[in-house]
Amino acid sequence: MIIYVKGIFFGGIMQKVNGFINKNLNLIITIFIIIQPILDLVVSLSLNVFQVGLNLGMIVRMFFLVFMSYVVFFIKGKRKYLLVYFFILLFYSLGYFLSLDSNYFMSNLHGLLRTFYFPLMLILFLNIKDIKIDNKILVMTMFIYIILIFIAVVTNTGFNSYDIAKKGSLGWFNSTNEISGIISILLPITVAQFMNKKNIVIKAVLSLIFIFVIGEIGTKTPVLSLLITFLVSFIYFMIRSLKKKNYKIFAGLLIILTSVTVTSFLVVPKTNFYKNIMIHVKYLKLDSVDDIFENDYVFDHFIFSQRITFLKNTSNRYDKASLKNKLFGIGYVNKNGKEYKAIEMDYYDVFYNHGILGFIVYFSVYIYSLYLVFKNLVKKIDFKQLMEYLSLILVLILSLHSGHIITTPAVCIYVVIILKKLINNKANFMNE
């Protein structure tokens, strides 16, 4: 009788909790997104100031993964296909650990969880049709990163972007590649959000701070994304003005292009980004641009920061591995417990670290999501939609060029949201 009463009591509580979560799910996800910069800040300060190795960011993000799994399984009831994927991933994981050196289980477990965070979170998000995250939240999150970096730079209290030689400040954050990746893929969405006449002064100030910050960070990725976003936006409005025969706007756009070009020639040489380019040019002893494309070593060093060399080294190690390691991956540490140098090209890192089977398990959800995105692509899209697609294209490019996009929980959560936004809700993805 007592057990029966307790069951009713706790059942009633869980029913209320589930109802609250179901009603406020978008708010909970929004809060999780907004606290991302704070998590990264806490982790960085813990490592660099207090020398504490506890990764609070990873713990909170894993907790959120468990939370979303609970939502899908016990609140939304979307189980069938999700269970199939979970079981496949479980069997792969067992094979993965059995094929590796068991003395370094925790290191390889951390690598597995960190890498497979993206497909797991993606399949969970796609199983919930009513998730809606406003672009304003993504823009707000990006500017929290930007403002924190800006304050650290102007107060000269930030950490260096590079350990040696090159210049740059990442503010109080720890990972240059991750923060650069976040800023880069959210930039087009931010531009779309800024394309109205509301709060022009505030937007102008934030834009100047943004440009200042990406110049101070010193990495190529955000600058490249800014250039691509500007050119795509410019071409879009040029074509639209010509179609509407609005030649005043067309002339205005040409004036803007000329002004931006002239200003860039004056401002860019003063940035850490440009200084790093010059440091690289001197180090490689380049006499002309042609030298970059005529010498494989120079091309790899200047364009890919030696990632092609890392790729060749990892490929040689993979070729010498056993059949079971070719199938399940070579993992993240060698037999002496030393961590392998990552290639920092996401597609290759997943393939070599997790083998043929892991690569298939990992990319099956991602590829299907991309199929859904482009299957429903319409010929006529507005500027906001264009920028969302551009964010996705930058994800695809940067995952190959600079990495740390889909293999890092801190960054891939934004990729998940972008994909979710682009997929038509009528697709009924994985419904029972």
Side-chain angles (χ1 to χ4, degrees), residues 65-66 68-70 72-73 78-93 119-121 123-124 127 361 365:
L65 179 65
V66 173
M68 290 299 294
S69 300
Y70 175 82
V72 173
F73 278 105
K78 308 286 185 179
R79 301 175 183 175
K80 184 178 178 182
Y81 292 101
L82 192 60
L83 277 172
V84 171
Y85 186 79
F86 270 54
F87 276 119
I88 291 173
L89 181 56
L90 177 63
F91 283 120
Y92 162 74
S93 301
L120 283 171
M121 193 61 78
I123 198 170
L124 290 169
N127 270 278
V361 174
V365 181

Side-chain angles (χ1 to χ4, degrees), residues 41-52 157 159 172 174:
L41 181 65
V42 171
V43 170
S44 179
L45 294 177
S46 298
L47 290 171
N48 294 292
V49 179
F50 302 106
Q51 282 77 49
V52 177
T157 57
F159 309 127
W172 299 308
N174 188 57

Side-chain angles (χ1 to χ4, degrees), residues 397-424:
I397 295 171
L398 297 179
S399 294
L400 177 64
H401 179 266
S402 56
H404 301 275
I405 302 295
I406 58 174
T407 56
T408 308
V411 185
C412 73
I413 185 64
Y414 302 105
V415 183
V416 170
I417 294 168
I418 291 168
L419 283 166
K420 176 64 177 174
K421 293 174 75 67
L422 287 171
I423 292 173
N424 192 317

Side-chain angles (χ1 to χ4, degrees), residues 142 303 317 325 360:
M142 190 194 77
I303 303 297
R317 189 163 57 245
N325 288 132
I360 293 170

Side-chain angles (χ1 to χ4, degrees), residues 1 11 52 93 100 146 180 227 260 268 291 301 310 318 344 396 407 418 426:
M1 181 67 180
V52 177
S93 301
L100 299 173
I146 293 295
S180 295
L227 178 62
V260 170
V268 170
D291 293 342
H301 210 291
F310 302 146
Y318 178 84
E344 296 185 342
L396 297 173
T407 56
I418 291 168
K426 293 182 180 180

Side-chain angles (χ1 to χ4, degrees), residues 27-60:
L27 176 61
I28 294 169
I29 297 173
T30 297
I31 293 171
F32 175 72
I33 295 167
I34 291 175
I35 67 169
Q36 294 301 300
I38 309 304
L39 289 176
D40 290 333
L41 181 65
V42 171
V43 170
S44 179
L45 294 177
S46 298
L47 290 171
N48 294 292
V49 179
F50 302 106
Q51 282 77 49
V52 177
L54 182 65
N55 193 332
L56 180 64
M58 190 69 171
I59 294 171
V60 173

